[in-house]
Amino acid sequence: DKKGVSPCRVACPAGVNAHAYIALISQGKFKEALEVVRKSIPLAGVVGRVCYHPCESECERATVDEGLMIRDLKRFVADYEMKIGREKAGPIEITKDERVAVIGSGPAGLACAFDLIKNGYRVTVFEKAEKAGGLMRYGIPNFKLPENIVDTEIEYIKEMGVDIKTGSEVNDISGLFNQGYKAVFLATGAGKNKDLGISGEA
Protein backbone atom coordinates (compact mmCIF):
# COMPACT_ATOMS: atom_id res chain seq x y z
CA ASP A 1 0.00 0.00 0.00
CA LYS A 2 1.03 3.57 -0.57
CA LYS A 3 -0.55 6.96 -0.08
CA GLY A 4 -3.16 8.13 -2.55
CA VAL A 5 -5.23 6.17 -5.04
CA SER A 6 -3.89 5.32 -8.48
CA PRO A 7 -5.94 6.28 -11.60
CA CYS A 8 -6.31 2.62 -12.57
CA ARG A 9 -7.92 1.86 -9.23
CA VAL A 10 -10.27 4.84 -9.55
CA ALA A 11 -11.35 3.56 -12.98
CA CYS A 12 -12.02 0.03 -11.69
CA PRO A 13 -15.74 -0.52 -10.89
CA ALA A 14 -14.68 -2.86 -8.05
CA GLY A 15 -11.88 -0.61 -6.79
CA VAL A 16 -9.26 -3.36 -7.09
CA ASN A 17 -5.83 -2.16 -5.96
CA ALA A 18 -4.10 -2.81 -9.27
CA HIS A 19 -0.83 -1.01 -8.51
CA ALA A 20 -0.41 -3.13 -5.38
CA TYR A 21 -0.91 -6.52 -6.99
CA ILE A 22 1.16 -5.59 -10.04
CA ALA A 23 4.03 -4.56 -7.76
CA LEU A 24 3.78 -7.93 -5.98
CA ILE A 25 3.74 -9.80 -9.30
CA SER A 26 6.92 -7.96 -10.33
CA GLN A 27 8.55 -9.36 -7.16
CA GLY A 28 7.37 -12.90 -7.89
CA LYS A 29 4.87 -12.79 -5.01
CA PHE A 30 1.98 -14.28 -6.95
CA LYS A 31 0.03 -15.66 -3.99
CA GLU A 32 0.20 -12.31 -2.19
CA ALA A 33 -0.88 -10.54 -5.39
CA LEU A 34 -4.00 -12.71 -5.60
CA GLU A 35 -4.77 -11.97 -1.95
CA VAL A 36 -4.77 -8.26 -2.82
CA VAL A 37 -7.26 -8.88 -5.64
CA ARG A 38 -9.48 -10.90 -3.30
CA LYS A 39 -9.66 -8.05 -0.83
CA SER A 40 -12.02 -6.45 -3.37
CA ILE A 41 -13.49 -9.27 -5.47
CA PRO A 42 -13.85 -13.06 -5.18
CA LEU A 43 -13.84 -13.73 -8.93
CA ALA A 44 -10.27 -13.03 -10.03
CA GLY A 45 -10.20 -15.75 -12.68
CA VAL A 46 -13.51 -14.61 -14.16
CA VAL A 47 -12.70 -10.90 -14.12
CA GLY A 48 -9.25 -11.66 -15.51
CA ARG A 49 -10.97 -13.03 -18.61
CA VAL A 50 -14.12 -11.06 -19.26
CA CYS A 51 -13.74 -7.62 -17.64
CA TYR A 52 -13.79 -4.73 -20.13
CA HIS A 53 -10.74 -3.34 -18.25
CA PRO A 54 -11.38 0.43 -17.99
CA CYS A 55 -8.34 0.49 -15.69
CA GLU A 56 -5.97 -0.06 -18.61
CA SER A 57 -6.90 3.15 -20.40
CA GLU A 58 -6.04 5.05 -17.19
CA CYS A 59 -2.72 3.31 -16.55
CA GLU A 60 -0.01 5.82 -15.63
CA ARG A 61 2.62 3.72 -17.38
CA ALA A 62 1.23 5.09 -20.66
CA THR A 63 2.93 8.41 -19.84
CA VAL A 64 6.27 6.56 -20.21
CA ASP A 65 5.61 4.07 -23.02
CA GLU A 66 2.34 2.09 -22.93
CA GLY A 67 -0.23 0.99 -20.37
CA LEU A 68 0.05 -2.36 -18.63
CA MET A 69 -2.24 -5.30 -19.40
CA ILE A 70 -3.86 -5.16 -15.98
CA ARG A 71 -6.68 -7.61 -16.68
CA ASP A 72 -4.29 -10.25 -18.02
CA LEU A 73 -2.11 -9.95 -14.93
CA LYS A 74 -5.18 -10.62 -12.78
CA ARG A 75 -5.88 -13.70 -14.88
CA PHE A 76 -2.26 -14.80 -14.51
CA VAL A 77 -2.29 -14.88 -10.71
CA ALA A 78 -5.65 -16.68 -10.65
CA ASP A 79 -4.42 -19.30 -13.14
CA TYR A 80 -1.14 -19.65 -11.25
CA GLU A 81 -3.05 -20.59 -8.12
CA MET A 82 -5.06 -23.19 -10.05
CA LYS A 83 -1.83 -24.64 -11.45
CA ILE A 84 -0.01 -25.04 -8.13
CA GLY A 85 -3.11 -25.92 -6.10
CA ARG A 86 -5.13 -23.74 -3.78
CA GLU A 87 -5.42 -23.88 -0.02
CA LYS A 88 -8.99 -23.93 1.29
CA ALA A 89 -10.44 -20.51 1.84
CA GLY A 90 -12.04 -20.84 5.23
CA PRO A 91 -14.47 -21.07 6.82
CA ILE A 92 -14.83 -17.49 8.00
CA GLU A 93 -15.87 -17.01 11.63
CA ILE A 94 -19.52 -16.01 11.97
CA THR A 95 -19.72 -13.06 14.36
CA LYS A 96 -23.21 -11.69 13.64
CA ASP A 97 -26.55 -13.14 14.69
CA GLU A 98 -28.44 -11.92 11.63
CA ARG A 99 -28.88 -14.16 8.57
CA VAL A 100 -29.00 -12.75 5.05
CA ALA A 101 -30.58 -14.29 1.95
CA VAL A 102 -29.22 -13.59 -1.53
CA ILE A 103 -31.45 -14.41 -4.50
CA GLY A 104 -29.34 -15.20 -7.55
CA SER A 105 -25.84 -16.61 -7.85
CA GLY A 106 -24.48 -14.51 -10.68
CA PRO A 107 -21.58 -12.11 -10.15
CA ALA A 108 -23.64 -9.60 -8.14
CA GLY A 109 -25.10 -12.23 -5.82
CA LEU A 110 -21.76 -13.94 -5.27
CA ALA A 111 -19.96 -10.65 -4.66
CA CYS A 112 -22.62 -9.67 -2.11
CA ALA A 113 -22.34 -13.04 -0.36
CA PHE A 114 -18.54 -12.70 -0.36
CA ASP A 115 -18.67 -9.28 1.31
CA LEU A 116 -21.27 -10.38 3.85
CA ILE A 117 -19.43 -13.53 4.93
CA LYS A 118 -16.20 -11.54 5.29
CA ASN A 119 -18.07 -9.27 7.69
CA GLY A 120 -19.25 -12.18 9.79
CA TYR A 121 -22.80 -12.68 8.51
CA ARG A 122 -24.34 -16.08 7.80
CA VAL A 123 -25.36 -16.06 4.13
CA THR A 124 -27.56 -18.31 2.03
CA VAL A 125 -27.68 -17.91 -1.74
CA PHE A 126 -30.80 -19.18 -3.54
CA GLU A 127 -30.34 -20.08 -7.22
CA LYS A 128 -33.14 -21.20 -9.52
CA ALA A 129 -30.83 -23.02 -11.96
CA GLU A 130 -29.23 -26.37 -11.25
CA LYS A 131 -25.75 -24.82 -11.17
CA ALA A 132 -24.57 -21.55 -9.64
CA GLY A 133 -22.95 -18.80 -11.68
CA GLY A 134 -25.75 -17.00 -13.48
CA LEU A 135 -24.74 -15.38 -16.75
CA MET A 136 -21.10 -16.18 -16.04
CA ARG A 137 -22.06 -19.81 -16.65
CA TYR A 138 -25.05 -19.55 -18.97
CA GLY A 139 -24.39 -16.31 -20.86
CA ILE A 140 -20.67 -16.25 -21.65
CA PRO A 141 -19.34 -18.77 -24.19
CA ASN A 142 -17.19 -21.54 -22.75
CA PHE A 143 -14.26 -20.70 -25.01
CA LYS A 144 -14.10 -17.25 -23.43
CA LEU A 145 -14.87 -18.28 -19.85
CA PRO A 146 -14.29 -22.01 -19.23
CA GLU A 147 -16.79 -23.63 -16.88
CA ASN A 148 -14.06 -24.99 -14.61
CA ILE A 149 -12.97 -21.40 -13.85
CA VAL A 150 -16.51 -20.53 -12.72
CA ASP A 151 -16.66 -23.74 -10.65
CA THR A 152 -13.34 -22.99 -8.94
CA GLU A 153 -14.31 -19.44 -7.99
CA ILE A 154 -17.70 -20.55 -6.64
CA GLU A 155 -16.05 -23.31 -4.63
CA TYR A 156 -13.78 -20.69 -3.03
CA ILE A 157 -16.84 -18.72 -1.89
CA LYS A 158 -18.50 -21.87 -0.55
CA GLU A 159 -15.35 -22.74 1.40
CA MET A 160 -15.63 -19.37 3.13
CA GLY A 161 -18.93 -20.55 4.56
CA VAL A 162 -21.54 -19.29 2.08
CA ASP A 163 -24.40 -21.77 1.64
CA ILE A 164 -25.47 -21.93 -2.03
CA LYS A 165 -28.77 -23.72 -2.68
CA THR A 166 -29.22 -24.51 -6.37
CA GLY A 167 -32.52 -25.58 -7.89
CA SER A 168 -34.17 -23.28 -5.36
CA GLU A 169 -36.51 -20.77 -6.96
CA VAL A 170 -37.82 -18.06 -4.63
CA ASN A 171 -41.33 -16.85 -5.43
CA ASP A 172 -42.17 -15.19 -2.14
CA ILE A 173 -39.65 -12.89 -0.49
CA SER A 174 -41.83 -12.49 2.59
CA GLY A 175 -41.38 -16.20 3.16
CA LEU A 176 -37.65 -15.68 3.60
CA PHE A 177 -38.29 -13.13 6.34
CA ASN A 178 -40.65 -15.61 7.97
CA GLN A 179 -37.79 -18.12 7.96
CA GLY A 180 -35.70 -15.72 10.03
CA TYR A 181 -33.65 -13.88 7.42
CA LYS A 182 -33.14 -10.25 8.42
CA ALA A 183 -32.30 -8.95 4.94
CA VAL A 184 -32.68 -10.06 1.33
CA PHE A 185 -30.44 -9.02 -1.56
CA LEU A 186 -32.04 -9.37 -5.00
CA ALA A 187 -29.49 -10.34 -7.65
CA THR A 188 -31.72 -11.95 -10.25
CA GLY A 189 -29.70 -10.56 -13.14
CA ALA A 190 -30.70 -9.54 -16.64
CA GLY A 191 -31.11 -12.89 -18.33
CA LYS A 192 -33.84 -11.79 -20.73
CA ASN A 193 -33.15 -9.62 -23.77
CA LYS A 194 -35.02 -6.36 -24.16
CA ASP A 195 -37.56 -6.49 -26.95
CA LEU A 196 -37.03 -3.96 -29.73
CA GLY A 197 -40.67 -3.90 -30.72
CA ILE A 198 -39.98 -4.44 -34.44
CA SER A 199 -41.45 -6.83 -36.95
CA GLY A 200 -39.82 -10.26 -37.18
CA GLU A 201 -37.68 -10.04 -34.05
CA ALA A 202 -39.21 -13.15 -32.41
Side-chain angles (χ1 to χ4, degrees):
D1 287 332
K2 59 184 179 183
K3 291 181 179 179
V5 180
S6 57
C8 56
R9 186 174 186 179
V10 172
C12 176
V16 179
N17 192 346
H19 74 252
Y21 76 76
I22 290 171
L24 289 166
I25 290 171
S26 72
Q27 299 167 32
K29 297 179 179 179
F30 306 140
K31 179 181 177 181
E32 293 86 348
L34 185 55
E35 287 173 0
V36 168
V37 176
R38 284 184 174 146
K39 285 182 179 178
S40 301
I41 55 170
L43 306 168
V46 171
V47 174
R49 286 171 167 80
V50 300
C51 179
Y52 67 102
H53 53 82
C55 53
E56 294 182 12
S57 61
E58 299 298 322
C59 180
E60 281 290 284
R61 181 71 194 183
T63 61
V64 178
D65 41 39
E66 59 183 352
L68 299 175
M69 300 180 75
I70 299 171
R71 179 184 66 184
D72 290 347
L73 289 169
K74 194 181 287 99
R75 172 177 173 170
F76 164 73
V77 292
D79 288 357
Y80 177 80
E81 181 186 66
M82 285 187 65
K83 181 179 179 181
I84 66 169
R86 173 173 65 75
E87 297 176 6
K88 286 204 169 184
I92 301 283
E93 182 184 0
I94 301 300
T95 59
K96 307 288 197 308
D97 294 330
E98 296 85 359
R99 292 190 298 147
V100 181
V102 175
I103 302 176
S105 69
L110 293 175
C112 177
F114 172 76
D115 285 339
L116 286 166
I117 198 81
K118 282 200 307 181
N119 284 282
Y121 289 95
R122 195 178 305 278
V123 189
T124 303
V125 177
F126 296 90
E127 170 56 54
K128 178 172 68 172
E130 292 306 310
K131 290 186 176 182
L135 286 180
M136 292 187 296
R137 185 182 301 279
Y138 297 109
I140 300 175
N142 199 50
F143 70 85
K144 189 168 181 65
L145 180 58
E147 198 165 353
N148 70 307
I149 301 297
V150 178
D151 290 337
T152 298
E153 310 256 74
I154 291 172
E155 188 61 29
Y156 177 86
I157 294 169
K158 289 169 70 175
E159 288 170 3
M160 295 175 72
V162 173
D163 184 19
I164 300 178
K165 296 183 181 296
T166 56
S168 300
E169 184 173 4
V170 176
N171 295 308
D172 179 16
I173 294 175
S174 63
L176 293 175
F177 290 111
N178 292 336
Q179 292 175 41
Y181 292 99
K182 295 299 181 183
V184 176
F185 181 79
L186 294 177
T188 53
K192 184 178 179 181
N193 292 329
K194 185 175 176 61
D195 293 337
L196 297 175
I198 60 175
S199 175
E201 70 174 319

